[in-house]
Amino acid sequence: MGKRDLLRGNEVIAEAAIRAGCQCYFAYPITPQAELLEHMARNMPRLGRTFVQAESEIAAVSMVYGAAAAGVRTMTSSSSPGISLKQEGISYLAGSNLPAVIVNVVRGGPGLGDIAPSQCDYFQATKGGGHGDYHMIVLAPSTVPEAGELTMLAFELADRYRTPVMILTDGLLGQMMEPVELPEPIDPASIPAKPWATTGASGRDPNIILSFDLDPEVLRQMNLDLQAKYRRIEEAELRYEETMTEDADLVIAAHGTMARIAETVVRRAREEGLKVGLFRPITVWPFPYEPLRELSSHVSTVLTVEMSAGQMWEDVRLAVAERAATPFYGEMGGIVPTPRDILSEVRKHAG
Amino acid sequence: MPRGTVRIDEERCKGCGLCIAACPQQVLGFSGELNHSGYNVVHMERPSACVGCAFCAMTCPDIAIEVYRQKVPAQS
Amino acid sequence: MQVETADMVKVFSRPQSLTAAKSTYCPGCHHGILTRIIGKTIDELGIAERTVCIAPVGCSVFAYNWYRCDAIQAAHGRASAVATGVKRADPNLIVFAYQGDGDFASIGTAESIHAANRGENITVIFVNNQVYGMTGGEMAPTSLVHQKTTTTPAGRDPAQVGYPIRFSEMIAQLDAPTYITRQALFDTRRILDTEEAIKKAFENQVNEKGYSLVEVLSTCPTNWRMSPIASNKHVADVVTEVFPLGDLVDRR
């Protein structure tokens, strides 16, 4: 057993990235993810690894693109307005089949917004915020220890599928301190070989990394290959959690920080005798449509709770497809709904 | 006996004429023949004047010219 | 036409480091000369097996096709940042970014300046032909005053759109860069000078001397609406007045 440390979410993500073998980290300062950047600044050079504070978010993600092409594990992190700027690079990473990890510690938007926690970048993360037909795997942790575990997983999935993977979290989790047993560092030998990487064309034909072809037939095939990969990911990598859903009549659907708060609500509702459960997507892309569809045929209500105007709500309604009522409760602008707020919402719809 | 000669890859030549202008011996000219891309390709008009200086090849944007020189300097 | 070469020795041929791919550039365009020079340099330094080309967006987007080395196609303007990522990931690789004036000196302004300011140990080839070639001849940041382009049909008016940017001079103000030079290709003497400069810029990287930038004044006969010969004369007589040739920084 390793020892348990009291750490912030941002630090845990940074430390997990290091333990996952992240060799190159590039980022630009923005609140509320500064601790992540600073942890990397303190530790990456000490380990003989690369830390570069880039001149911009665009430059940072472009550096990630280069390092990923060269075959090393690489990451950038930012918060909402910065992630908007990174969309160009994310589209190129997806189009060029490059593995990379991008952390979005979401804050209130749109525009400059504020620096308080929000889930308002769900669409951007899950529906492809940049140009072109692409997705990235999006992992939404709801506790500080899980942020570490999912960061380790993000690097693995990125390499396995040669795709960008996003950690979608928010300032609440980023700043929150929890006791954490940090994951063991990986064995570098466990990182899959990357024969496609631009490591120098010695004893082989040149490797070319691109997302470009002027021949529509070729580009069509590149797109079909991407879509086939996304179907494989949907088959193999769906992750979700159900809490007290066996006998539930009302299920709260929530991800990340909101799911954690909703867990408290479920407990309190049960104390009141209300049959309430929780459905928590861990991969918000791919979204667990089938499990939620299955669950919705046994309940009367699926209440979506989000720190947004109802973005995941669209996926929930797509999954439930009128098998159950699908009300929504959300807050925006960095307001975090309290368990009491949500509980009164639950009472409205339950029983 | 010419001191040099050139080989022009006619399918690479785009007939831009930069080599013609670069040649100090006025060896090259347009052949009037079109290649498969429709370009009027360059050929040696005065092969005997070629000294193998390679100015033409240096200036050719399509890397279509190879240059050869006599192994032994020509006897006077 | 077959020529007799039996008793002759080949003194000039296609560099080994270039593929057999036919160039996609227009007739008379200097990009091809530069491609040959880079291939020759890679040959001479024996670095093909550890070289990575960063291809830009623009006429030279296909640069990844020209060299027998690994290559990465970058987003518009980001080549210097991508080069940074590659070089930091593996400092043993020889990384060169090949960028046009729109890519390097307009949309990539921040990436270009900051890679230079960090003194990244990379080689940047900056092709300045004063026009956006690929998209149809629009104004470039380097377009000359009064130059007619498809977006300055009456000629570039400095009162409206400013003056041609001397980007290499700007970068030369920084403390970090090792070598910054402006060269041209309008005659054989300048071609030889450019060969020397490009070799220096790659050697600097091999010897871990830091950031090297070779700006090359190039022609665009198609969009300038001039013959290749007239284009060369235009560079010699007019363009070099605005963009003087020579070394700006040499701190090796």
Side-chain angles (χ1 to χ4, degrees):
Chain A
M1 287 293 283
K3 76 178 178 52
R4 285 158 72 90
D5 300 298
L6 195 61
L7 291 171
R8 288 177 202 281
N10 282 335
E11 293 164 331
V12 168
I13 292 172
E15 190 52 37
I18 289 172
R19 291 172 183 227
C22 178
Q23 281 296 325
C24 292
Y25 170 84
F26 309 96
Y28 183 87
I30 184 169
T31 309
Q33 62 88 51
E35 297 85 359
L36 207 169
L37 178 82
E38 289 161 12
H39 185 93
M40 295 306 246
R42 278 195 305 275
N43 291 287
M44 292 291 272
R46 183 174 65 78
L47 296 163
R49 304 187 195 179
T50 296
F51 168 88
V52 177
Q53 180 175 327
E55 62 271 25
S56 71
E57 301 283 4
I58 296 172
V61 75
S62 300
M63 291 172 193
V64 163
Y65 180 79
V72 302
R73 286 194 163 175
T74 180
M75 180 170 97
T76 185
S77 62
S78 188
S79 177
S80 309
I83 296 291
S84 290
L85 285 166
K86 289 192 200 293
Q87 294 305 319
E88 172 190 89
I90 293 172
S91 172
Y92 273 72
L93 286 164
S96 304
N97 293 292
L98 288 179
V101 175
I102 300 123
V103 181
N104 185 0
V105 185
V106 182
R107 57 189 256 183
L112 191 54
D114 61 17
I115 56 171
S118 175
Q119 297 181 319
C120 59
D121 296 352
Y122 179 94
F123 281 157
Q124 187 199 51
T126 61
K127 310 298 178 191
H131 58 287
D133 265 320
Y134 78 91
H135 283 291
M136 57 185 159
I137 298 174
V138 185
L139 304 171
S142 73
T143 66
V144 172
E146 192 186 32
E149 290 155 23
L150 291 183
T151 301
M152 301 284 285
L153 176 67
F155 281 95
E156 259 183 60
L157 295 179
D159 278 348
R160 190 178 307 158
Y161 295 101
R162 291 182 60 184
T163 185
V165 179
M166 176 172 276
I167 300 290
L168 185 69
T169 181
D170 60 60
L172 196 71
L173 207 69
Q175 304 292 330
M176 180 190 293
M177 293 182 94
E178 281 191 272
V180 184
E181 186 181 322
L182 284 162
E184 285 299 308
I186 59 137
D187 174 5
S190 71
I191 299 175
K194 298 177 179 178
W196 47 265
T198 59
T199 51
S202 178
R204 59 159 169 79
D205 288 338
N207 283 336
I208 296 171
I209 301 291
L210 43 57
S211 56
F212 172 71
D213 203 295
L214 284 182
D215 179 348
E217 285 298 325
V218 176
L219 192 67
R220 174 174 180 268
Q221 191 53 53
M222 284 161 67
N223 269 279
L224 289 171
D225 292 346
L226 265 187
Q227 293 302 318
K229 171 163 82 179
Y230 296 146
R231 299 297 86 79
R232 287 202 304 279
I233 293 171
E234 284 168 343
E235 289 282 312
E237 305 301 343
L238 271 189
R239 284 172 171 78
Y240 63 96
E241 190 180 69
E242 293 187 21
T243 308
M244 297 191 205
T245 52
E246 301 78 15
D247 63 339
D249 182 50
L250 181 149
V251 166
I252 300 173
H255 72 89
T257 297
M258 272 326 302
R260 183 199 184 100
I261 295 169
E263 247 184 57
T264 308
V265 175
V266 168
R267 238 181 12 251
R268 291 195 194 161
R270 289 278 171 174
E271 284 162 16
E272 290 181 18
L274 299 171
K275 289 187 171 174
V276 177
L278 172 66
F279 183 85
R280 175 171 81 94
I282 298 170
T283 51
V284 285
W285 195 90
F287 187 85
Y289 292 107
E290 281 305 321
L292 182 57
R293 178 167 308 155
E294 170 63 23
L295 178 61
S296 66
S297 50
H298 310 298
V299 301
S300 63
T301 305
V302 179
L303 169 66
T304 306
V305 183
E306 279 181 272
M307 291 189 282
S308 78
Q311 298 190 13
M312 189 182 80
W313 189 30
E314 288 195 0
D315 282 328
V316 169
R317 282 180 291 170
L318 210 55
V320 173
E322 299 181 6
R323 285 177 190 80
T326 50
F328 171 74
Y329 176 67
E331 272 293 0
M332 289 178 286
I335 306 290
V336 181
T338 63
R340 200 173 57 183
D341 298 333
I342 303 168
L343 191 56
S344 65
E345 233 17 67
V346 166
R347 287 194 202 105
K348 267 194 236 168
H349 300 288
Chain B
M1 189 76 171
R3 283 182 286 163
T5 192
V6 298
R7 253 187 190 164
I8 298 169
D9 182 337
E10 292 176 2
E11 287 310 314
R12 286 189 191 275
C13 177
K14 292 185 184 138
C16 72
L18 287 180
C19 57
I20 300 173
C23 176
Q25 301 290 104
Q26 289 82 48
V27 171
L28 303 169
F30 289 112
S31 66
E33 303 283 324
L34 302 187
N35 66 13
H36 284 95
S37 306
Y39 293 118
N40 181 1
V41 298
V42 168
H43 74 156
M44 294 178 87
E45 266 176 11
R46 304 195 312 128
S48 59
C50 181
V51 295
C53 70
F55 283 13
C56 56
M58 246 187 272
T59 206
C60 173
D62 292 285
I63 324 173
I65 305 177
E66 286 186 339
V67 184
Y68 297 79
R69 271 185 220 149
Q70 287 279 342
K71 277 178 193 152
V72 185
Q75 300 295 312
S76 57
Chain C
M1 184 177 66
Q2 268 310 101
V3 288
E4 188 49 57
T5 55
D7 58 345
M8 293 197 167
V9 56
K10 199 192 275 187
V11 293
F12 194 108
S13 57
R14 190 176 182 81
Q16 297 283 309
S17 303
L18 297 184
T19 65
K22 277 189 198 167
S23 133
T24 50
Y25 298 119
C26 303
C29 167
H30 285 180
H31 271 302
I33 307 176
L34 205 43
T35 304
R36 177 187 61 75
I37 293 173
I38 293 169
K40 179 176 183 247
T41 305
I42 294 173
D43 281 1
E44 287 173 359
L45 298 178
I47 52 173
E49 294 192 341
R50 58 182 182 121
T51 295
V52 178
C53 165
I54 315 294
V57 170
C59 290
S60 43
V61 64
F62 295 108
Y64 57 81
N65 270 336
W66 309 147
Y67 309 95
R68 287 187 205 277
C69 70
D70 283 355
I72 301 168
Q73 200 291 310
H76 198 19
R78 317 298 173 222
S80 291
V82 174
T84 299
V86 176
K87 189 71 185 183
R88 296 290 186 120
D90 185 354
N92 186 49
L93 294 173
I94 301 300
V95 187
F96 78 95
Y98 188 101
Q99 306 183 254
D101 42 50
D103 198 85
F104 185 74
S106 186
I107 198 166
T109 298
E111 288 78 6
S112 302
I113 289 178
H114 285 275
N117 194 47
R118 286 189 302 269
E120 294 293 341
N121 187 28
I122 59 172
T123 304
V124 179
I125 313 297
F126 161 34
V127 185
N128 175 358
N129 65 2
Q130 304 104 54
V131 78
Y132 282 74
M134 181 69 113
T135 43
E138 296 84 356
M139 184 189 75
T142 46
S143 291
L144 305 186
V145 171
H146 305 317
Q147 184 179 336
K148 285 187 178 171
T149 71
T150 54
T151 51
T152 54
R156 180 174 188 159
D157 175 5
Q160 296 295 323
V161 290
Y163 292 85
I165 192 166
R166 280 186 281 267
F167 212 88
S168 294
E169 277 83 346
M170 255 169 63
I171 288 185
Q173 302 307 306
L174 305 172
D175 291 334
T178 300
Y179 179 50
I180 302 177
T181 188
R182 183 181 290 116
Q183 301 292 335
L185 300 164
F186 57 79
D187 63 21
T188 40
R189 187 190 129 198
R190 270 61 181 205
I191 290 172
L192 289 169
D193 288 349
T194 302
E195 289 189 4
E196 202 178 306
I198 299 241
K199 192 162 182 187
K200 232 188 240 184
F202 274 86
E203 274 172 346
N204 285 345
Q205 188 178 168
V206 170
N207 298 327
E208 298 177 16
K209 300 281 187 199
Y211 181 88
S212 297
L213 169 67
V214 183
E215 174 179 345
V216 182
L217 299 181
S218 176
T219 57
C220 183
T222 300
N223 288 299
W224 290 2
R225 291 161 173 75
M226 288 182 199
S227 74
I229 309 278
S231 297
N232 273 355
K233 190 166 158 41
H234 177 70
V235 176
D237 296 348
V238 180
V239 180
T240 51
E241 289 294 307
V242 182
F243 295 106
L245 301 181
D247 291 352
L248 293 158
V249 169
D250 195 350
R251 297 196 181 101
R252 287 168 302 141

